[in-house]
Amino acid sequence: MPSYEQLVEQLDPVSTVLLTVECQEGVVGKESAMPELAREMRESGALGNVARLVDAAHAAGVQVMHAVAERRADGRGANRNARLFRAAERLPVRQEVGSWAVRVAEPIVVAESDLVMPRLHGLSPVAGTGVDAVLRNLGCRSVVVVGVSANVAILNAVFDLVNLGYQVVVVADAIAGVPGEYTGMVVRHSLGLVAGVVGVEEVVRCWGEGSG
């Protein structure tokens, strides 16, 4: 865990991006395709914490990027090479392009300056999605990662970002997975080995002071 002084330096608003992962209505909303995950995200307070971080980022001038998972109605371009993908095809709620399911979920506020980065394939919001190129064009050096799920997409995002050379910070109380206790294990035994792990209060304080 970085010291507060290190965190302030690392999360300089000029060179930091807040990345929300799959915080969309069809995943974490009230009509989610994955109700257990959505319930964990809400009841743990993680969704509210994501909204707080987005508000703090907007106030501090930190770029916000929302990575969303989509699929075409005909399924073209989507993976079918894992059980997870095949199960998703049978879910009653489908993350179809242009539908309500791929909108960023309430209570997260999306500003005009925010970037929404969709993907049609794979498990990672970073690899093969254009996120890396956009981050580099923004002059980004540090990425703050929040959202779902700790089981799959968060892991992929963090590992990909680290491999690409970014400094990564995971906000432990702004991510969720199932079962709930598994999230803590992932943070402790996997994410904590490659990324800074902090709480929402630290980041909000850091950006609040930085914008003052």
Side-chain angles (χ1 to χ4, degrees), residues 37 63 103 129 196 205:
L37 177 60
Q63 178 67 56
R103 292 200 300 263
T129 64
R205 177 186 167 203

Side-chain angles (χ1 to χ4, degrees), residues 18-20 23 47-66 104-105 107-111 114 146 200 203-204 207:
L18 172 62
L19 177 67
T20 77
C23 291
L47 184 58
N49 285 338
V50 172
R52 282 191 66 201
L53 288 166
V54 169
D55 289 346
H58 290 157
V62 174
Q63 178 67 56
V64 178
M65 180 182 290
H66 305 282
V104 176
I108 300 167
V109 175
V110 180
D114 291 4
V146 298
V200 63
V203 180
V204 168
W207 284 340

